[in-house]
């Protein structure tokens, strides 16, 4: 296959001039360019200009779990061999990472080179705004642009109620598009397909969010297994067990992921700041640059809370995610741990001094 025809074959999966330039020295070595569409147990499926092939990833298995081959990677594969090996992957433009639930505090990479992070939220019960904020923090931190998709909109037949739900999420997700869609009726699918056509999208959400049904609707055929949501609690079972990259008929590619029960932050301070942009803006007006927004004089955040401009739920969620992120960073970074300890000591000393001052006034 000529280089031009190979380029066209891979362009469907996101190949462009920048990737071709990045791959040039691997091409000179006779390696094949391809994109990882699935990874499982040290093996991966790679789509190349010559078709999809199976390759071994053990050659690229460092101690760092964030540097393993993952779905969405562009890789250099041996042109022949049994087994074939992935020799390396190209530098990632974006990477969606969460912390694992293990006590080792390791990061887990879910998908690479993603342009849009589609956060699927089912309208089958009360909206968990805190969970949405958590997903959005990870999405912003990854470098992708988030989109919130309220699935199963047909279960909310009243248009006014549906509009209020959309507004609630828009308030929670400033600057993020919020779409109400129904795979059953097709409502909103065309708008979402237009978004997904603009590059690589990853579908994120908890079990039962309707991700596989949504993927089938975007692809136009049933390629992902779907299981019914439990009536007793509205939760779903894991249908997708691996991350699969699928080409969409209208352009773009989609990565479907398993339902995520735990969504731990992983060094996502910038992402948290973008989710709570209004709090970050208020914090810039505080009298003290290191204001903790608890009881400090001249705190613009607390003033907004008292006036009703800032909902208490938003501030509580912001504090929770910032504490969690600070904790995970401290557990993995010795310098951050030392800074955290110094911060605790400083705040403890300030609190002690404040108490002594109060006692002096009371005496």
């Amino acid at each position: 296959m000529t280089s031009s025809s190979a380029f066209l074959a891979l362009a469907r999966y996101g190949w462009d001039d920048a990737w071709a330039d990045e791959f040039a020295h691997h091409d000179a070595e006779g390696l094949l360019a391809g994109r990882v569409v699935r990874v499982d147990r040290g093996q991966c499926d790679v789509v190349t200009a010559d078709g999809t092939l199976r390759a071994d990833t053990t050659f690229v298995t460092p101690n760092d779990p964030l540097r393993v081959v993952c779905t969405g990677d562009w890789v250099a594969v041996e042109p022949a061999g049994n087994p074939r090996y992935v020799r390396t992957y190209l530098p990632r433009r974006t990477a969606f990472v969460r912390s694992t639930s293990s006590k080792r505090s390791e990061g887990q990479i879910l998908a690479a080179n993603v342009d849009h992070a589609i956060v699927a939220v089912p309208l089958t019960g009360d909206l968990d705004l805190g969970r949405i904020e958590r997903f959005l923090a990870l999405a912003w931190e990854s470098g992708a642009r988030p989109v919130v998709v309220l699935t199963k909109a047909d279960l909310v037949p009243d248009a006014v109620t549906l509009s209020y739900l959309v507004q609630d999420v828009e308030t929670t997700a400033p600057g993020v598009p919020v779409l109400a869609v129904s795979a059953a009726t097709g409502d909103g699918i065309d708008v979402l397909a237009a978004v997904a056509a603009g590059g690589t999208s990853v579908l994120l959400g908890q079990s039962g969010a309707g991700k596989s049904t949504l993927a089938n609707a975007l692809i136009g055929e049933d390629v992902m297994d779907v299981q019914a949501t439990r009536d007793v609690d509205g939760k779903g079972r894991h249908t997708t067990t691996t991350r699969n990259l699928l080409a969409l008929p209208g352009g773009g590619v989609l990565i479907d992921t398993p339902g995520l029960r735990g969504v731990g932050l992983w060094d996502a301070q910038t992402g948290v700041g973008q989710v709570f942009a209004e709090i970050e803006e208020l914090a810039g007006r505080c009298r003290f640059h290191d204001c903790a927004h608890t009881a400090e004089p001249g705190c613009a955040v607390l003033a907004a809370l008292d006036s009703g401009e800032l909902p208490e739920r938003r501030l509580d969620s912001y504090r929770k995610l910032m504490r969690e992120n600070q904790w995970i960073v401290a557990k993995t970074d010795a310098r951050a741990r030392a800074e955290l300890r110094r911060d605790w000591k400083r705040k403890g000393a300030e609190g002690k001094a404040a108490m002594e001052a109060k006692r002096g006034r009371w005496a």
Side-chain angles (χ1 to χ4, degrees), residues 119-136 148 150 165 168-169 172 206 235 261 263 313 317 320:
V119 180
V121 180
L123 292 174
T124 52
D126 294 336
L127 289 173
D128 188 340
L129 299 179
R131 178 178 285 270
I132 294 173
E133 289 163 342
R134 181 177 291 271
F135 270 112
L136 290 175
V148 177
L150 304 179
L165 291 171
D168 285 345
V169 178
T172 300
Q206 64 190 87
K235 295 181 180 179
R261 289 194 180 94
V263 192
R313 190 207 66 80
S317 184
K320 178 181 179 181

Side-chain angles (χ1 to χ4, degrees), residues 95-164:
F96 195 96
V97 181
R98 68 165 177 173
S99 67
T100 64
S101 57
S102 69
K103 295 180 180 180
R104 296 168 62 185
S105 302
E106 293 180 338
Q108 178 189 22
I109 185 163
L110 300 179
N113 303 312
V114 172
D115 301 296
H116 305 287
I118 300 173
V119 180
V121 180
L123 292 174
T124 52
D126 294 336
L127 289 173
D128 188 340
L129 299 179
R131 178 178 285 270
I132 294 173
E133 289 163 342
R134 181 177 291 271
F135 270 112
L136 290 175
L138 293 177
W140 280 121
E141 190 68 33
S142 75
R145 291 194 61 82
V147 179
V148 177
V149 175
L150 304 179
T151 65
K152 309 180 184 182
D154 54 292
L155 300 181
V156 187
D158 182 64
V160 175
T161 301
L162 181 60
S163 68
Y164 282 137

Side-chain angles (χ1 to χ4, degrees), residues 14 25 40 42 59 68 108-109 151 200 225 229 264 281 292 302 330 339:
H25 65 285
D40 58 278
F59 191 85
V68 299
Q108 178 189 22
I109 185 163
T151 65
T200 297
D225 291 333
T229 303
E281 182 180 353
L302 294 180
E339 291 176 353

Side-chain angles (χ1 to χ4, degrees), residues 265-283:
L265 300 185
W266 180 260
D267 196 5
Q269 181 171 343
T270 300
V272 173
Q274 286 181 271
V275 175
F276 299 92
E278 80 279 26
I279 297 179
E280 293 278 299
E281 182 180 353
L282 287 168

Side-chain angles (χ1 to χ4, degrees), residues 7 23 37 64 89 92 112 114 149 177 196 198 208 210 245 255 260 279 282 289 303 320 330 333 343 351 354:
F7 190 103
F23 191 79
V37 297
D64 186 351
Y89 61 82
R92 294 161 176 158
V114 172
V149 175
L245 185 148
I255 300 175
L260 301 174
I279 297 179
L282 287 168
H289 74 278
K320 178 181 179 181
D333 187 319
D343 189 48

Side-chain angles (χ1 to χ4, degrees), residues 120-124 148-157 162 166 178-193 209-218:
V121 180
L123 292 174
T124 52
V148 177
V149 175
L150 304 179
T151 65
K152 309 180 184 182
D154 54 292
L155 300 181
V156 187
L162 181 60
V166 171
V178 179
L179 308 175
V181 306
S182 169
T185 65
D187 290 343
I189 296 298
D190 56 340
V191 179
L192 181 59
K211 297 189 306 300
S212 294
T213 302
L214 197 59
N216 288 337
L218 290 170

